[in-house]
Amino acid sequence: MYNKIYIIGPVGSGKTTLSKILSKKYNIERYELDKVVWDDDNGNIKRTDEEIKKLFNKIITNRSWIIEDVGRKKFNDGIKKADIVYYIDLPSIIIYKRCITRWVRQKIGRERYNYKPTLKSLFEMLKWAKQDLKNKKEKIERIKNNSKKYKILKNKDVKMLEVNPNE
């Protein structure tokens, strides 16, 4: 069993779903780094670099954690401290479809959201997904160079991990 798990992937890749499953299975606290960067309690404003660093360092000094992020460079220390890093690598068509589905579910009130689901926010999410996919190779290379152990997860691997987290 891993005590420090870092999950990286584009927006819409299933990071939150996977982190919730692993958190429940192992009884490990999970953290969304979007919530470290953005202060949801105060109008979803971006925190200062100093605040972000302080919050992040508090997380990674814990005995166990599950972190999910899109792979921001500023959180590289988490990759270094993780027992395992998972990178979720799905085809772009699946990512885009999930972004649109998420937005629709948020718009009709079937899914919680951190920011109001406007048409502008949908295009922002698709833009983030495109950027994440464009930077995939660089992120995977950084993971390879900085982690003790890593696994690139394709769609079938994610499903397998959700069923049997010990894989």
Side-chain angles (χ1 to χ4, degrees):
M1 183 182 106
Y2 304 113
N3 290 312
K4 297 177 180 178
I5 301 169
Y6 203 120
I7 302 168
I8 297 174
V11 61
S13 62
K15 298 178 302 290
T16 300
T17 300
L18 181 58
S19 72
K20 285 178 180 178
I21 289 166
L22 297 177
S23 175
K24 187 175 180 179
K25 171 78 175 172
Y26 294 132
N27 195 29
I28 297 175
E29 186 80 22
R30 57 179 284 279
Y31 302 92
E32 296 175 48
L33 294 188
D34 280 350
K35 294 186 184 298
V36 169
V37 173
W38 300 95
D39 186 351
D40 292 346
D41 296 330
N42 292 308
N44 203 33
I45 58 170
K46 188 171 185 179
R47 291 187 167 96
T48 66
D49 286 341
E50 187 176 302
E51 291 172 308
I52 292 167
K53 187 174 182 172
K54 185 178 177 182
L55 288 168
F56 181 67
N57 286 335
K58 186 177 178 184
I59 292 168
I60 63 172
T61 56
N62 289 331
R63 187 183 67 74
S64 63
W65 40 259
I66 296 172
I67 291 174
E68 61 168 275
D69 185 42
V70 293
R72 297 172 181 96
K73 289 179 185 175
K74 69 173 68 188
F75 299 126
N76 214 43
D77 284 347
I79 292 171
K80 291 176 182 177
K81 290 185 181 254
D83 297 328
I84 188 160
V85 178
Y86 293 117
Y87 181 85
I88 302 175
D89 183 15
L90 302 180
S92 57
I93 191 72
I94 292 175
I95 298 294
Y96 294 136
K97 180 181 174 191
R98 286 182 177 183
C99 288
I100 293 166
T101 301
R102 172 188 291 171
W103 181 82
V104 169
R105 290 177 58 82
Q106 291 171 344
K107 190 79 174 160
I108 63 173
R110 302 250 344 247
E111 187 174 313
R112 247 184 98 239
Y113 53 85
N114 296 329
Y115 43 86
K116 191 175 168 103
T118 62
L119 207 48
K120 181 181 176 185
S121 70
L122 170 62
F123 289 119
E124 277 289 306
M125 195 175 359
L126 292 169
K127 183 177 91 176
W128 296 332
K130 182 178 179 181
Q131 189 65 38
D132 287 343
L133 291 163
K134 180 181 168 197
N135 295 329
K136 174 175 76 172
K137 287 181 183 171
E138 179 268 322
K139 289 179 185 186
I140 291 173
E141 195 61 35
R142 193 160 31 88
I143 292 166
K144 288 179 179 179
N145 292 333
N146 290 285
S147 64
K148 298 173 196 164
K149 183 174 182 177
Y150 68 91
K151 186 167 185 178
I152 309 300
L153 303 174
K154 301 293 185 182
N155 205 22
K156 64 179 176 40
D157 301 318
V158 174
K159 289 179 178 155
M160 178 73 76
L161 200 56
E162 289 172 353
V163 173
N164 185 3
N166 296 319
E167 289 295 310

